[in-house]
Amino acid sequence: MTVAPARVLVVEDEPKLSALLADYLRAAGHEPECVADGREVLAAWTARRHDLVLLDLMLPGVDGLTLCRELRARSAVPILMLTARAEESDRLMGLELGADDYIAKNPFSPREVMARVKAALRRGQAHEAATAAAVAAATTDAQALSIDDAGWRASWRGEALDLTPIEFRLLHILAAQPGRVYARAQLLDLLHVDGREVTDRAVDSHIKNLRRKLERAGAGSERIRSIYGVGYRFEG
């Protein structure tokens, strides 16, 4: 899948690093916008709706974790945290707040950052395609399934499903093409789950929780079917 040129918001208060990232992004065909103060981030993103955010953790005004939480509440935009704080607790906190990736500055590799940007944009574009398809697919079964991408909400016949971000993405992917069988490895890749921390069994666990919530809302227990030895499919 070819990655289209993207608008990238670079949130970094070190001028040299910010300029370096902007140069690499332009060389890759993207359009960067640099912001150094955390208090300016939400206004900048609201004005241009960037396709990806490179977000430093330690910023003047408003810290990166707070900004990550607030951006995620507004959008599914890919967020890549770029920070010198590489402790596991910080990384896990960022991921729990909705960051899609966490890149340590020490050692700093612009090429690695660009590779992660490319991967995140590729996943984001695939997610957008799945979103559009899911909206169309949601008209099946008397429009029983409703998916609100902007609000990260889903419901079945008006009954809220109360999904976690991972469950929401799973439902998006599966409902986009009813009847298509997705292997667990495909779902891991599309969900942008770090394979070093999450295994195929985690997908099974998320599917189990998603089934339970669908059944509770009246969709039945077999809306998501298991294909033995392969993966899962959504029954429209």
Side-chain angles (χ1 to χ4, degrees):
M1 177 181 177
T2 301
V3 175
R7 298 182 304 277
V8 179
L9 180 61
V10 179
V11 185
E12 171 59 60
D13 64 337
E14 296 181 31
K16 290 184 179 179
L17 181 54
S18 179
L20 179 62
L21 288 169
D23 287 343
Y24 269 82
L25 287 164
R26 291 190 191 96
H30 304 306
E31 183 181 343
E33 177 181 356
C34 299
V35 174
D37 192 314
R39 289 165 292 197
E40 301 173 5
V41 172
L42 294 179
W45 183 84
T46 301
R48 299 204 60 202
R49 297 281 172 169
H50 303 81
D51 302 302
L52 182 140
V53 178
L54 273 173
L55 180 61
D56 188 15
L57 187 61
M58 301 180 68
L59 295 163
V62 181
D63 67 271
L65 290 176
T66 299
L67 289 169
C68 180
R69 183 190 302 111
E70 294 183 358
L71 283 168
R72 184 55 70 234
R74 291 165 169 78
S75 170
V77 60
I79 300 173
L80 275 62
M81 283 193 161
L82 181 63
T83 177
R85 288 171 57 177
E87 291 82 359
E88 182 181 28
S89 59
D90 291 321
R91 183 164 61 88
L92 292 177
M93 177 65 75
L95 294 173
E96 288 173 1
L97 289 175
D100 294 87
D101 208 342
Y102 202 100
I103 308 169
K105 288 183 179 178
N106 299 315
F108 179 71
S109 169
R111 291 184 179 180
E112 179 186 359
V113 175
M114 292 305 105
R116 303 256 191 134
V117 165
K118 182 178 179 180
L121 288 171
R122 183 170 59 243
R123 283 187 292 269
Q125 290 166 12
H127 177 67
E128 287 180 4
T131 296
V135 171
T139 61
T140 62
D141 198 7
Q143 296 185 332
L145 178 62
S146 174
I147 297 177
D148 177 7
D149 183 60
W152 280 65
R153 293 185 295 266
S155 62
W156 182 269
R157 299 191 187 283
E159 182 75 20
L161 296 177
D162 295 326
L163 305 179
T164 66
I166 290 291
E167 292 165 359
F168 181 83
R169 291 178 182 176
L170 261 177
L171 185 60
H172 248 310
I173 293 165
L174 293 169
Q177 299 188 54
R180 173 179 171 178
V181 178
Y182 284 88
R184 290 174 177 83
Q186 287 178 297
L187 292 173
L188 279 172
D189 184 56
L190 291 170
L191 287 168
H192 184 38
V193 174
D194 188 345
R196 294 169 297 177
E197 298 179 351
V198 181
T199 65
D200 289 359
R201 291 185 179 181
V203 172
D204 295 339
S205 178
H206 291 308
I207 289 287
K208 180 180 178 180
N209 292 334
L210 183 53
R211 279 174 169 161
R212 186 179 69 250
K213 292 179 180 181
L214 284 166
E215 183 176 13
R216 188 170 59 201
S221 61
E222 295 299 320
R223 188 61 55 179
I224 300 176
R225 290 188 177 273
S226 299
I227 308 302
Y228 182 76
V230 182
Y232 299 98
R233 75 172 180 230
F234 182 83
E235 300 290 345

